[in-house]
PDB file of all heavy atoms in Angstrom:
ATOM      1  N   ARG T  36     -99.639  28.755 -29.622  1.00  0.00           N
ATOM      2  CA  ARG T  36     -98.435  29.567 -29.397  1.00  0.00           C
ATOM      3  C   ARG T  36     -98.837  30.908 -28.780  1.00  0.00           C
ATOM      4  O   ARG T  36     -99.824  31.519 -29.180  1.00  0.00           O
ATOM      5  CB  ARG T  36     -97.698  29.800 -30.698  1.00  0.00           C
ATOM      6  CG  ARG T  36     -97.142  28.523 -31.265  1.00  0.00           C
ATOM      7  CD  ARG T  36     -96.120  28.807 -32.350  1.00  0.00           C
ATOM      8  NE  ARG T  36     -95.622  27.577 -32.915  1.00  0.00           N
ATOM      9  CZ  ARG T  36     -94.635  26.866 -32.397  1.00  0.00           C
ATOM     10  NH1 ARG T  36     -94.044  27.271 -31.305  1.00  0.00           N
ATOM     11  NH2 ARG T  36     -94.244  25.744 -32.967  1.00  0.00           N
ATOM     12  N   TYR T  37     -98.031  31.337 -27.810  1.00  0.00           N
ATOM     13  CA  TYR T  37     -98.280  32.581 -27.093  1.00  0.00           C
ATOM     14  C   TYR T  37     -96.983  33.377 -26.986  1.00  0.00           C
ATOM     15  O   TYR T  37     -95.894  32.828 -27.108  1.00  0.00           O
ATOM     16  CB  TYR T  37     -98.771  32.294 -25.661  1.00  0.00           C
ATOM     17  CG  TYR T  37    -100.138  31.690 -25.583  1.00  0.00           C
ATOM     18  CD1 TYR T  37    -100.327  30.314 -25.706  1.00  0.00           C
ATOM     19  CD2 TYR T  37    -101.257  32.481 -25.374  1.00  0.00           C
ATOM     20  CE1 TYR T  37    -101.590  29.753 -25.637  1.00  0.00           C
ATOM     21  CE2 TYR T  37    -102.520  31.923 -25.291  1.00  0.00           C
ATOM     22  CZ  TYR T  37    -102.677  30.566 -25.424  1.00  0.00           C
ATOM     23  OH  TYR T  37    -103.924  30.012 -25.353  1.00  0.00           O
ATOM     24  N   GLU T  38     -97.134  34.665 -26.730  1.00  0.00           N
ATOM     25  CA  GLU T  38     -96.041  35.514 -26.287  1.00  0.00           C
ATOM     26  C   GLU T  38     -96.339  35.834 -24.835  1.00  0.00           C
ATOM     27  O   GLU T  38     -97.453  36.274 -24.511  1.00  0.00           O
ATOM     28  CB  GLU T  38     -95.988  36.830 -27.078  1.00  0.00           C
ATOM     29  CG  GLU T  38     -95.226  36.774 -28.346  1.00  0.00           C
ATOM     30  CD  GLU T  38     -95.035  38.147 -28.967  1.00  0.00           C
ATOM     31  OE1 GLU T  38     -95.839  39.069 -28.699  1.00  0.00           O
ATOM     32  OE2 GLU T  38     -94.089  38.291 -29.740  1.00  0.00           O
ATOM     33  N   ILE T  39     -95.374  35.604 -23.958  1.00  0.00           N
ATOM     34  CA  ILE T  39     -95.601  35.901 -22.542  1.00  0.00           C
ATOM     35  C   ILE T  39     -94.469  36.782 -22.027  1.00  0.00           C
ATOM     36  O   ILE T  39     -93.347  36.746 -22.519  1.00  0.00           O
ATOM     37  CB  ILE T  39     -95.714  34.623 -21.685  1.00  0.00           C
ATOM     38  CG1 ILE T  39     -94.448  33.780 -21.774  1.00  0.00           C
ATOM     39  CG2 ILE T  39     -96.933  33.820 -22.060  1.00  0.00           C
ATOM     40  CD1 ILE T  39     -94.416  32.633 -20.787  1.00  0.00           C
ATOM     41  N   ARG T  40     -94.800  37.577 -21.003  1.00  0.00           N
ATOM     42  CA  ARG T  40     -93.818  38.412 -20.329  1.00  0.00           C
ATOM     43  C   ARG T  40     -93.875  38.065 -18.848  1.00  0.00           C
ATOM     44  O   ARG T  40     -94.938  38.048 -18.246  1.00  0.00           O
ATOM     45  CB  ARG T  40     -94.123  39.894 -20.531  1.00  0.00           C
ATOM     46  CG  ARG T  40     -93.101  40.821 -19.875  1.00  0.00           C
ATOM     47  CD  ARG T  40     -93.537  42.286 -19.939  1.00  0.00           C
ATOM     48  NE  ARG T  40     -93.992  42.706 -21.238  1.00  0.00           N
ATOM     49  CZ  ARG T  40     -93.220  43.256 -22.184  1.00  0.00           C
ATOM     50  NH1 ARG T  40     -91.942  43.415 -21.968  1.00  0.00           N
ATOM     51  NH2 ARG T  40     -93.750  43.635 -23.335  1.00  0.00           N
ATOM     52  N   MET T  41     -92.715  37.796 -18.287  1.00  0.00           N
ATOM     53  CA  MET T  41     -92.619  37.528 -16.856  1.00  0.00           C
ATOM     54  C   MET T  41     -91.855  38.679 -16.214  1.00  0.00           C
ATOM     55  O   MET T  41     -90.680  38.900 -16.526  1.00  0.00           O
ATOM     56  CB  MET T  41     -91.900  36.211 -16.597  1.00  0.00           C
ATOM     57  CG  MET T  41     -92.686  35.013 -17.078  1.00  0.00           C
ATOM     58  SD  MET T  41     -91.883  33.453 -16.756  1.00  0.00           S
ATOM     59  CE  MET T  41     -90.523  33.536 -17.908  1.00  0.00           C
ATOM     60  N   GLY T  42     -92.534  39.426 -15.366  1.00  0.00           N
ATOM     61  CA  GLY T  42     -91.900  40.566 -14.713  1.00  0.00           C
ATOM     62  C   GLY T  42     -91.563  41.646 -15.719  1.00  0.00           C
ATOM     63  O   GLY T  42     -92.386  42.041 -16.532  1.00  0.00           O
ATOM     64  N   ASP T  43     -90.312  42.116 -15.674  1.00  0.00           N
ATOM     65  CA  ASP T  43     -89.859  43.175 -16.578  1.00  0.00           C
ATOM     66  C   ASP T  43     -89.068  42.636 -17.759  1.00  0.00           C
ATOM     67  O   ASP T  43     -88.426  43.396 -18.476  1.00  0.00           O
ATOM     68  CB  ASP T  43     -88.988  44.179 -15.796  1.00  0.00           C
ATOM     69  CG  ASP T  43     -89.804  44.945 -14.778  1.00  0.00           C
ATOM     70  OD1 ASP T  43     -91.026  45.080 -14.986  1.00  0.00           O
ATOM     71  OD2 ASP T  43     -89.224  45.398 -13.778  1.00  0.00           O
ATOM     72  N   ARG T  44     -89.081  41.348 -17.972  1.00  0.00           N
ATOM     73  CA  ARG T  44     -88.350  40.745 -19.093  1.00  0.00           C
ATOM     74  C   ARG T  44     -89.006  41.077 -20.419  1.00  0.00           C
ATOM     75  O   ARG T  44     -90.123  41.569 -20.466  1.00  0.00           O
ATOM     76  CB  ARG T  44     -88.313  39.220 -18.952  1.00  0.00           C
ATOM     77  CG  ARG T  44     -87.526  38.703 -17.809  1.00  0.00           C
ATOM     78  CD  ARG T  44     -87.638  37.209 -17.835  1.00  0.00           C
ATOM     79  NE  ARG T  44     -86.721  36.556 -16.953  1.00  0.00           N
ATOM     80  CZ  ARG T  44     -86.699  35.248 -16.771  1.00  0.00           C
ATOM     81  NH1 ARG T  44     -87.552  34.475 -17.416  1.00  0.00           N
ATOM     82  NH2 ARG T  44     -85.826  34.706 -15.952  1.00  0.00           N
ATOM     83  N   LYS T  45     -88.305  40.725 -21.509  1.00  0.00           N
ATOM     84  CA  LYS T  45     -88.879  40.917 -22.839  1.00  0.00           C
ATOM     85  C   LYS T  45     -89.911  39.824 -23.114  1.00  0.00           C
ATOM     86  O   LYS T  45     -89.927  38.785 -22.450  1.00  0.00           O
ATOM     87  CB  LYS T  45     -87.784  40.899 -23.906  1.00  0.00           C
ATOM     88  CG  LYS T  45     -87.069  39.578 -24.047  1.00  0.00           C
ATOM     89  CD  LYS T  45     -86.011  39.664 -25.129  1.00  0.00           C
ATOM     90  CE  LYS T  45     -85.304  38.345 -25.259  1.00  0.00           C
ATOM     91  NZ  LYS T  45     -85.722  37.561 -26.387  1.00  0.00           N
ATOM     92  N   MET T  46     -90.763  40.071 -24.110  1.00  0.00           N
ATOM     93  CA  MET T  46     -91.764  39.082 -24.512  1.00  0.00           C
ATOM     94  C   MET T  46     -91.057  37.871 -25.105  1.00  0.00           C
ATOM     95  O   MET T  46     -90.138  38.016 -25.909  1.00  0.00           O
ATOM     96  CB  MET T  46     -92.723  39.669 -25.541  1.00  0.00           C
ATOM     97  CG  MET T  46     -93.575  40.808 -25.033  1.00  0.00           C
ATOM     98  SD  MET T  46     -94.766  40.311 -23.793  1.00  0.00           S
ATOM     99  CE  MET T  46     -96.077  39.698 -24.804  1.00  0.00           C
ATOM    100  N   GLU T  47     -91.488  36.678 -24.698  1.00  0.00           N
ATOM    101  CA  GLU T  47     -90.902  35.445 -25.195  1.00  0.00           C
ATOM    102  C   GLU T  47     -91.975  34.588 -25.839  1.00  0.00           C
ATOM    103  O   GLU T  47     -93.075  34.463 -25.320  1.00  0.00           O
ATOM    104  CB  GLU T  47     -90.231  34.691 -24.040  1.00  0.00           C
ATOM    105  CG  GLU T  47     -89.117  35.492 -23.397  1.00  0.00           C
ATOM    106  CD  GLU T  47     -88.464  34.756 -22.254  1.00  0.00           C
ATOM    107  OE1 GLU T  47     -88.634  33.524 -22.164  1.00  0.00           O
ATOM    108  OE2 GLU T  47     -87.792  35.413 -21.461  1.00  0.00           O
ATOM    109  N   LYS T  48     -91.652  34.004 -26.996  1.00  0.00           N
ATOM    110  CA  LYS T  48     -92.598  33.161 -27.727  1.00  0.00           C
ATOM    111  C   LYS T  48     -92.486  31.738 -27.205  1.00  0.00           C
ATOM    112  O   LYS T  48     -91.396  31.163 -27.160  1.00  0.00           O
ATOM    113  CB  LYS T  48     -92.307  33.220 -29.220  1.00  0.00           C
ATOM    114  CG  LYS T  48     -92.526  34.600 -29.787  1.00  0.00           C
ATOM    115  CD  LYS T  48     -92.227  34.673 -31.245  1.00  0.00           C
ATOM    116  CE  LYS T  48     -92.446  36.107 -31.720  1.00  0.00           C
ATOM    117  NZ  LYS T  48     -92.141  36.280 -33.113  1.00  0.00           N
ATOM    118  N   VAL T  49     -93.638  31.169 -26.811  1.00  0.00           N
ATOM    119  CA  VAL T  49     -93.669  29.830 -26.235  1.00  0.00           C
ATOM    120  C   VAL T  49     -94.820  29.022 -26.825  1.00  0.00           C
ATOM    121  O   VAL T  49     -95.771  29.576 -27.360  1.00  0.00           O
ATOM    122  CB  VAL T  49     -93.807  29.873 -24.690  1.00  0.00           C
ATOM    123  CG1 VAL T  49     -92.623  30.562 -24.047  1.00  0.00           C
ATOM    124  CG2 VAL T  49     -95.097  30.548 -24.278  1.00  0.00           C
ATOM    125  N   LEU T  50     -94.719  27.708 -26.692  1.00  0.00           N
ATOM    126  CA  LEU T  50     -95.777  26.775 -27.072  1.00  0.00           C
ATOM    127  C   LEU T  50     -96.285  26.128 -25.796  1.00  0.00           C
ATOM    128  O   LEU T  50     -95.492  25.573 -25.023  1.00  0.00           O
ATOM    129  CB  LEU T  50     -95.230  25.715 -28.028  1.00  0.00           C
ATOM    130  CG  LEU T  50     -96.170  24.569 -28.382  1.00  0.00           C
ATOM    131  CD1 LEU T  50     -97.336  25.082 -29.227  1.00  0.00           C
ATOM    132  CD2 LEU T  50     -95.427  23.480 -29.122  1.00  0.00           C
ATOM    133  N   ILE T  51     -97.586  26.180 -25.555  1.00  0.00           N
ATOM    134  CA  ILE T  51     -98.165  25.605 -24.339  1.00  0.00           C
ATOM    135  C   ILE T  51     -98.278  24.092 -24.503  1.00  0.00           C
ATOM    136  O   ILE T  51     -98.851  23.608 -25.470  1.00  0.00           O
ATOM    137  CB  ILE T  51     -99.565  26.195 -24.053  1.00  0.00           C
ATOM    138  CG1 ILE T  51     -99.513  27.713 -23.949  1.00  0.00           C
ATOM    139  CG2 ILE T  51    -100.184  25.575 -22.811  1.00  0.00           C
ATOM    140  CD1 ILE T  51     -98.822  28.248 -22.741  1.00  0.00           C
ATOM    141  N   VAL T  52     -97.709  23.352 -23.532  1.00  0.00           N
ATOM    142  CA  VAL T  52     -97.740  21.889 -23.553  1.00  0.00           C
ATOM    143  C   VAL T  52     -98.768  21.348 -22.562  1.00  0.00           C
ATOM    144  O   VAL T  52     -99.484  20.393 -22.850  1.00  0.00           O
ATOM    145  CB  VAL T  52     -96.342  21.309 -23.252  1.00  0.00           C
ATOM    146  CG1 VAL T  52     -96.364  19.801 -23.215  1.00  0.00           C
ATOM    147  CG2 VAL T  52     -95.335  21.801 -24.277  1.00  0.00           C
ATOM    148  N   ALA T  53     -98.837  21.971 -21.378  1.00  0.00           N
ATOM    149  CA  ALA T  53     -99.783  21.530 -20.349  1.00  0.00           C
ATOM    150  C   ALA T  53    -100.190  22.729 -19.498  1.00  0.00           C
ATOM    151  O   ALA T  53     -99.407  23.662 -19.311  1.00  0.00           O
ATOM    152  CB  ALA T  53     -99.170  20.452 -19.475  1.00  0.00           C
ATOM    153  N   VAL T  54    -101.430  22.668 -18.984  1.00  0.00           N
ATOM    154  CA  VAL T  54    -101.958  23.752 -18.158  1.00  0.00           C
ATOM    155  C   VAL T  54    -102.540  23.146 -16.886  1.00  0.00           C
ATOM    156  O   VAL T  54    -103.289  22.174 -16.932  1.00  0.00           O
ATOM    157  CB  VAL T  54    -103.071  24.528 -18.901  1.00  0.00           C
ATOM    158  CG1 VAL T  54    -103.641  25.625 -18.027  1.00  0.00           C
ATOM    159  CG2 VAL T  54    -102.551  25.081 -20.209  1.00  0.00           C
ATOM    160  N   THR T  55    -102.161  23.712 -15.732  1.00  0.00           N
ATOM    161  CA  THR T  55    -102.787  23.350 -14.459  1.00  0.00           C
ATOM    162  C   THR T  55    -103.398  24.619 -13.869  1.00  0.00           C
ATOM    163  O   THR T  55    -103.388  25.672 -14.502  1.00  0.00           O
ATOM    164  CB  THR T  55    -101.757  22.742 -13.478  1.00  0.00           C
ATOM    165  OG1 THR T  55    -100.798  23.748 -13.143  1.00  0.00           O
ATOM    166  CG2 THR T  55    -101.056  21.528 -14.080  1.00  0.00           C
ATOM    167  N   ASP T  56    -103.915  24.518 -12.624  1.00  0.00           N
ATOM    168  CA  ASP T  56    -104.528  25.687 -11.999  1.00  0.00           C
ATOM    169  C   ASP T  56    -103.528  26.815 -11.762  1.00  0.00           C
ATOM    170  O   ASP T  56    -103.871  27.987 -11.876  1.00  0.00           O
ATOM    171  CB  ASP T  56    -105.165  25.299 -10.655  1.00  0.00           C
ATOM    172  CG  ASP T  56    -106.389  24.427 -10.856  1.00  0.00           C
ATOM    173  OD1 ASP T  56    -106.959  24.470 -11.964  1.00  0.00           O
ATOM    174  OD2 ASP T  56    -106.756  23.707  -9.913  1.00  0.00           O
ATOM    175  N   SER T  57    -102.280  26.459 -11.422  1.00  0.00           N
ATOM    176  CA  SER T  57    -101.318  27.500 -11.057  1.00  0.00           C
ATOM    177  C   SER T  57    -100.077  27.552 -11.947  1.00  0.00           C
ATOM    178  O   SER T  57     -99.279  28.464 -11.810  1.00  0.00           O
ATOM    179  CB  SER T  57    -100.873  27.294  -9.611  1.00  0.00           C
ATOM    180  OG  SER T  57    -100.253  26.026  -9.482  1.00  0.00           O
ATOM    181  N   THR T  58     -99.895  26.586 -12.849  1.00  0.00           N
ATOM    182  CA  THR T  58     -98.680  26.555 -13.659  1.00  0.00           C
ATOM    183  C   THR T  58     -98.978  26.305 -15.134  1.00  0.00           C
ATOM    184  O   THR T  58    -100.051  25.824 -15.490  1.00  0.00           O
ATOM    185  CB  THR T  58     -97.706  25.455 -13.180  1.00  0.00           C
ATOM    186  OG1 THR T  58     -98.338  24.185 -13.334  1.00  0.00           O
ATOM    187  CG2 THR T  58     -97.276  25.664 -11.752  1.00  0.00           C
ATOM    188  N   LEU T  59     -97.988  26.638 -15.957  1.00  0.00           N
ATOM    189  CA  LEU T  59     -97.997  26.327 -17.383  1.00  0.00           C
ATOM    190  C   LEU T  59     -96.719  25.563 -17.691  1.00  0.00           C
ATOM    191  O   LEU T  59     -95.656  25.928 -17.211  1.00  0.00           O
ATOM    192  CB  LEU T  59     -97.992  27.593 -18.237  1.00  0.00           C
ATOM    193  CG  LEU T  59     -99.160  28.548 -18.151  1.00  0.00           C
ATOM    194  CD1 LEU T  59     -98.859  29.794 -18.967  1.00  0.00           C
ATOM    195  CD2 LEU T  59    -100.405  27.890 -18.676  1.00  0.00           C
ATOM    196  N   VAL T  60     -96.838  24.505 -18.480  1.00  0.00           N
ATOM    197  CA  VAL T  60     -95.659  23.825 -18.997  1.00  0.00           C
ATOM    198  C   VAL T  60     -95.536  24.271 -20.443  1.00  0.00           C
ATOM    199  O   VAL T  60     -96.460  24.080 -21.244  1.00  0.00           O
ATOM    200  CB  VAL T  60     -95.776  22.296 -18.894  1.00  0.00           C
ATOM    201  CG1 VAL T  60     -94.537  21.630 -19.466  1.00  0.00           C
ATOM    202  CG2 VAL T  60     -95.999  21.876 -17.453  1.00  0.00           C
ATOM    203  N   VAL T  61     -94.395  24.912 -20.773  1.00  0.00           N
ATOM    204  CA  VAL T  61     -94.209  25.502 -22.095  1.00  0.00           C
ATOM    205  C   VAL T  61     -92.908  24.993 -22.711  1.00  0.00           C
ATOM    206  O   VAL T  61     -92.021  24.511 -22.004  1.00  0.00           O
ATOM    207  CB  VAL T  61     -94.168  27.044 -22.028  1.00  0.00           C
ATOM    208  CG1 VAL T  61     -95.459  27.592 -21.467  1.00  0.00           C
ATOM    209  CG2 VAL T  61     -92.985  27.534 -21.233  1.00  0.00           C
ATOM    210  N   VAL T  62     -92.828  25.102 -24.023  1.00  0.00           N
ATOM    211  CA  VAL T  62     -91.600  24.804 -24.755  1.00  0.00           C
ATOM    212  C   VAL T  62     -91.133  26.106 -25.382  1.00  0.00           C
ATOM    213  O   VAL T  62     -91.884  26.765 -26.095  1.00  0.00           O
ATOM    214  CB  VAL T  62     -91.828  23.735 -25.839  1.00  0.00           C
ATOM    215  CG1 VAL T  62     -90.578  23.545 -26.672  1.00  0.00           C
ATOM    216  CG2 VAL T  62     -92.266  22.432 -25.214  1.00  0.00           C
ATOM    217  N   GLN T  63     -89.881  26.457 -25.075  1.00  0.00           N
ATOM    218  CA  GLN T  63     -89.266  27.647 -25.655  1.00  0.00           C
ATOM    219  C   GLN T  63     -87.867  27.271 -26.107  1.00  0.00           C
ATOM    220  O   GLN T  63     -87.051  26.787 -25.315  1.00  0.00           O
ATOM    221  CB  GLN T  63     -89.188  28.776 -24.636  1.00  0.00           C
ATOM    222  CG  GLN T  63     -88.514  30.003 -25.190  1.00  0.00           C
ATOM    223  CD  GLN T  63     -88.220  31.009 -24.121  1.00  0.00           C
ATOM    224  OE1 GLN T  63     -88.256  30.718 -22.942  1.00  0.00           O
ATOM    225  NE2 GLN T  63     -87.909  32.215 -24.542  1.00  0.00           N
ATOM    226  N   ASP T  64     -87.587  27.457 -27.394  1.00  0.00           N
ATOM    227  CA  ASP T  64     -86.280  27.113 -27.975  1.00  0.00           C
ATOM    228  C   ASP T  64     -85.907  25.656 -27.685  1.00  0.00           C
ATOM    229  O   ASP T  64     -84.798  25.357 -27.246  1.00  0.00           O
ATOM    230  CB  ASP T  64     -85.189  28.045 -27.446  1.00  0.00           C
ATOM    231  CG  ASP T  64     -85.433  29.490 -27.811  1.00  0.00           C
ATOM    232  OD1 ASP T  64     -86.028  29.716 -28.891  1.00  0.00           O
ATOM    233  OD2 ASP T  64     -85.049  30.380 -27.038  1.00  0.00           O
TER     234      ASP T  64
END
């Protein structure tokens, strides 16, 4: 589980499902 921020948005809690070189597949809510 991670907290990530994209741009100026608030921190969001996510679960990492898959990782590639340029993308993350996450589950949020």
